[in-house]
Amino acid sequence: MRMSAYTLLAFSLFLLFWFTPLRITAQQAQPETLVIEGGTLIDGNGGAPVRDALIIIRGNRIETVSRKGQVSYPTGARVLQADGKFIVPGLQDSHCHYQWWMGELMLNHGVMRVALTGAGDLGLALREAIDRGKVLGPRLFLQAGTIRSAVSPRLTPVGGARQYTPEQAREVVRRALEVRPANTNLMRGVSFEVYKAAVEVAHEAGYPVVAQPIGPTVYAKEAILAGVDILEHAAGVGYSIVKDPAKWKGFGEVEVHSIDPTPFADMDETKAREFIRLAVGRNVYLEPDLIVLGRGFHKNRDKYELENYHLYNDFRLAYVPEDRRMKELRAPREYDTLKILDPAAWEYRKMAYENMVRFMKMYHDAGGKILAGTDTSSWTVPGIGLHQELHILVEEVGLTPMEAILTATRNPAEAWRVLDQMGTIESGKLADLFIVDADPLQNIDNLKEVEWVIKDGKLVELGYHPWFDVPFKSSYHDASDVLEALQERMERGIRHRSGLTDEGPVWSFGAPTPGIASISPSMVTEGDATFALTLKGVNFIQKSLVYLERTPLPTQWVSPTELKATVDERLVRGVGTYEIKVKNLDFYAQQPQWGGTTSPPRRLLVNFRY
């Protein structure tokens, strides 16, 4: 049967509109190609720089590393002319407590990976959002399965004393592996047997172990013997090499001792050399955070302070939380302004820091690997703080600029067992690199002269934007020490009304401030229906009321340590973090010395629906 002209025309148009979208889709599916032409390549392996480099990036991978004129590249590729410039792998800050507002600060300084980020809901949501391009920021190496005792030995940890058995430690690490962490973590207050058990499980799964061993039985030497891979803050090293351990009884009782270099003042040279042989022989990485441990004693303290003030004077960074900004700016003058060290103690601590610097050079010269880190956000400005650490490694420790670059590129990738994916500029690896205008091998500060940043194969828009925002936020501290103190208060049951301080039932005259230990669920997905929220904590009373932001929720009192509330779906429609608080609405519960009647907040996270 013959087709009419109109039928044939209609059929042809159908075919045209049917196949045209397929052709467009196929074209769009082709990964974008980026070419860096010219420039001197410092590939992160420590070898001689390569002049007139040619790098082809397809999608998020480095496809080719060659020389100009040796290979052709695809027509239509975007070309960056890098003649006269220097190409460097993306940097890693190996000790960062990452917060939502750090993204621009990190990437503008070439920092494309950060380690030791917590693996709670916030860390998991941020990692996924960054990886999927929803949020701007560096790659996050999440740390799950942290094992430690109470923040202070004088407090009872919420949920009971954390006296881990080896089998409990193994179970903590096994559960942590479910979230694909970068490493597991061991800290103060647990035994050698617990260290060893946790290390065994992590290593079986192929993950490194980061430790902060500051006693009371496990310090750096014992941690190394248990098999840990990375010592953050180089914690416990000073204690392990002191002349007289009895003199340092009690050192490590509080968390701040992890950033206290004072034991290095009592360094025994023979013990130091023996420790170095042990650590180098077991391929242990030291992450010293010299920008933190030496605050106030750096040779170039004024230079670092000026850099920090100049950076934070940029009005476009107004989104940085004021408490963090002030904490970081004050850090170099902490011992000057707070008067916490008398002149003799100041000199003693200065000597300790100088000994620590000398020890790091001994360690490096013996073949030990050093990792550059900053412990931001506590003591240093994100991004630029890592450059200051590199400057210290060159100017004070005595590393060459090339050796310092390795502490923030190849070394951490090797330590975290991802060198096959990142850390150097080689074919097949993730395309994380940046290009600077001057030679960093002549002056390590030239790493700050950033021209282009390429992360995951894409050019990053440099500069700061006052509107920069991230939907997932948290405060820096989760107030765990406050919560532990509140629980201690409840368990003692001290009465407080009209000056009474004798022992008695905790509910005699109300309760101190409520505290939230956990909420469940702590993360939901946008579009979820109305759900029940369970709060566990301390000091809940029958007149406790749960609030989401400023909205009171229908609340049911279950016990002094548990509440249930109902969250209407209309209250959490948008992606973001929402404050959850508990208020005790009983007049007699108002005890200002405990902070009033409102708990410190917890945060409910509403994640993207992918």
Side-chain angles (χ1 to χ4, degrees):
M1 182 175 65
R2 297 175 60 188
M3 300 175 68
S4 70
Y6 291 110
T7 303
L8 182 61
L9 176 62
F11 183 67
S12 300
L13 289 172
F14 170 77
L15 291 177
L16 174 65
F17 286 106
W18 176 260
F19 285 109
T20 297
L22 294 180
R23 287 201 303 271
I24 293 173
T25 303
Q27 290 170 359
Q28 290 175 341
Q30 293 296 319
E32 183 180 358
T33 304
L34 184 64
V35 174
I36 303 170
E37 185 179 86
T40 298
L41 172 63
I42 301 169
D43 67 7
N45 282 309
V50 177
R51 299 188 182 280
D52 297 320
L54 179 73
I55 301 171
I56 301 176
I57 298 168
R58 195 183 298 272
N60 70 341
R61 296 279 174 175
I62 299 170
E63 185 175 275
T64 304
V65 178
S66 185
R67 301 284 294 274
K68 283 175 65 174
Q70 291 184 351
V71 296
S72 58
Y73 47 86
T75 303
R78 182 173 184 178
V79 179
L80 300 180
Q81 296 291 345
D83 293 305
K85 302 181 189 301
F86 297 81
I87 309 160
V88 187
L91 304 178
Q92 175 171 322
D93 187 331
S94 289
H95 193 147
C96 174
H97 300 273
Y98 190 76
Q99 299 294 304
W100 67 269
W101 47 270
M102 296 181 182
E104 288 191 327
L105 282 162
M106 290 295 189
L107 294 178
N108 273 273
H109 288 93
V111 182
M112 297 180 214
R113 306 190 306 275
V114 299
L116 304 182
T117 305
D121 291 336
L122 182 73
L124 291 170
L126 269 176
R127 180 179 68 178
E128 186 171 24
I130 290 171
D131 289 349
R132 290 174 177 264
K134 293 276 190 181
V135 168
L136 181 70
R139 298 182 190 277
L140 303 185
F141 282 18
L142 299 190
Q143 174 169 276
T146 295
I147 298 172
R148 72 171 186 187
S149 68
V151 173
S152 166
R154 290 175 292 278
L155 294 175
T156 301
V158 173
R162 297 179 201 156
Q163 298 299 326
Y164 290 95
T165 66
E167 187 49 47
Q168 286 172 332
R170 291 188 185 97
E171 184 57 29
V172 168
V173 178
R174 290 189 193 106
R175 288 199 307 269
L177 297 178
E178 297 173 3
V179 302
R180 296 182 298 108
N183 63 271
T184 193
N185 180 243
L186 287 152
M187 300 183 77
R188 66 169 306 281
V190 294
S191 70
F192 177 81
E193 291 73 24
V194 166
Y195 262 75
K196 195 170 181 180
V199 167
E200 286 173 358
V201 177
H203 283 179
E204 284 173 5
Y207 291 101
V209 177
V210 177
Q212 192 184 108
I214 53 172
T217 57
V218 175
Y219 291 90
K221 180 179 178 180
E222 293 77 21
I224 292 170
L225 292 172
V228 303
D229 304 283
I230 301 163
L231 293 178
E232 60 179 357
H233 295 312
V237 173
Y239 181 91
S240 292
I241 60 176
V242 294
K243 296 173 184 174
D244 181 10
K247 176 181 175 182
W248 299 92
K249 182 177 174 56
F251 184 83
E253 281 193 354
V254 292
E255 206 80 7
V256 74
H257 286 164
S258 67
I259 53 172
D260 184 348
T262 310
F264 278 97
D266 193 29
M267 183 169 71
D268 182 305
E269 298 286 338
T270 300
K271 284 185 177 180
R273 287 191 292 271
E274 290 172 352
F275 179 91
I276 289 171
R277 281 194 294 272
L278 172 67
V280 173
R282 299 207 174 202
N283 197 34
V284 172
Y285 296 79
L286 297 187
E287 188 272 311
D289 299 302
L290 296 172
I291 188 66
V292 177
L293 276 79
R295 61 194 186 281
F297 306 114
H298 298 128
K299 292 179 180 178
N300 294 280
R301 184 178 90 167
D302 291 347
K303 164 185 164 67
Y304 305 148
E305 280 192 278
L306 188 60
E307 287 176 341
N308 295 345
Y309 274 99
H310 178 74
L311 180 58
Y312 271 159
N313 197 42
D314 190 328
F315 75 93
R316 295 170 298 179
L317 286 168
Y319 57 78
V320 176
E322 191 64 17
D323 64 329
R324 293 296 94 197
R325 181 194 305 263
M326 296 309 298
K327 180 75 164 61
E328 293 156 10
L329 291 177
R330 283 197 303 261
R333 296 187 176 273
E334 178 182 1
Y335 301 129
D336 301 348
T337 57
L338 297 183
K339 308 297 183 186
I340 57 178
L341 296 178
D342 60 39
W346 193 93
E347 289 293 339
Y348 193 71
R349 187 153 183 154
K350 180 174 183 291
M351 179 177 69
Y353 171 67
E354 290 170 350
N355 275 358
M356 183 180 182
V357 166
R358 186 163 59 85
F359 174 88
M360 288 299 154
K361 183 63 162 63
M362 293 166 60
Y363 191 72
H364 172 267
D365 289 349
K369 303 283 182 67
I370 295 175
L371 307 175
T374 65
D375 198 15
T376 192
S377 169
S378 293
W379 314 97
T380 57
V381 178
I384 199 169
L386 185 63
H387 289 272
Q388 292 164 355
E389 181 78 1
L390 296 177
H391 190 266
I392 292 167
L393 288 170
V394 172
E395 295 294 321
E396 297 187 32
V397 176
L399 273 59
T400 67
M402 177 68 87
E403 291 166 342
I405 289 171
L406 296 186
T407 70
T409 54
R410 182 186 174 90
N411 286 6
E414 191 177 68
W416 268 272
R417 306 184 182 190
V418 292
L419 187 57
D420 61 327
Q421 296 291 314
M422 57 191 75
T424 62
I425 300 175
E426 297 179 272
S427 298
K429 295 195 175 183
L430 290 166
D432 292 350
L433 52 94
F434 66 114
I435 300 163
V436 297
D437 288 328
D439 187 356
L441 301 183
Q442 295 299 315
N443 184 341
I444 193 65
D445 273 353
N446 287 338
L447 277 180
K448 291 181 285 191
E449 303 299 320
V450 179
E451 177 69 20
W452 293 301
V453 168
I454 299 166
K455 177 181 176 282
D456 213 31
K458 299 179 181 64
L459 272 172
V460 175
E461 181 184 350
L462 298 182
Y464 304 108
H465 305 85
W467 55 84
F468 178 74
D469 195 18
V470 173
F472 307 129
K473 297 182 176 67
S474 72
S475 59
Y476 178 66
H477 295 289
D478 65 3
S480 59
D481 52 344
V482 173
L483 189 62
E484 289 170 358
L486 289 174
Q487 184 184 38
E488 190 94 344
R489 166 67 176 84
M490 181 186 74
E491 291 173 350
R492 285 201 310 268
I494 299 175
R495 299 162 64 190
H496 187 93
R497 185 173 185 245
S498 303
L500 294 176
T501 58
D502 56 307
E503 296 291 332
V506 71
W507 306 120
S508 294
F509 296 100
T513 306
I516 307 173
S518 66
I519 61 173
S520 179
S522 54
M523 181 166 65
V524 296
T525 304
E526 57 180 336
D528 280 356
T530 297
F531 61 94
L533 187 70
T534 300
L535 292 80
K536 297 292 182 68
V538 296
N539 303 332
F540 298 152
I541 62 175
Q542 294 192 20
K543 295 182 182 179
S544 292
L545 193 60
V546 178
Y547 282 74
L548 187 149
E549 298 293 335
R550 297 183 179 181
T551 303
L553 303 177
T555 303
Q556 175 190 355
W557 180 83
V558 179
S559 74
T561 59
E562 183 176 343
L563 297 172
K564 290 188 180 296
T566 302
V567 181
D568 191 284
E569 61 187 70
R570 293 169 295 181
L571 297 176
V572 288
R573 282 179 174 168
V575 171
T577 43
Y578 296 79
E579 277 197 352
I580 301 292
K581 294 182 179 180
V582 173
K583 293 185 178 181
N584 284 348
L585 302 183
D586 190 330
F587 171 78
Y588 292 110
Q590 297 183 22
Q591 298 188 28
Q593 77 278 15
W594 287 98
T597 61
T598 304
S599 70
R602 286 283 170 175
R603 283 167 173 76
L604 174 69
L605 193 148
V606 180
N607 201 3
F608 291 102
R609 184 174 292 279
Y610 293 109

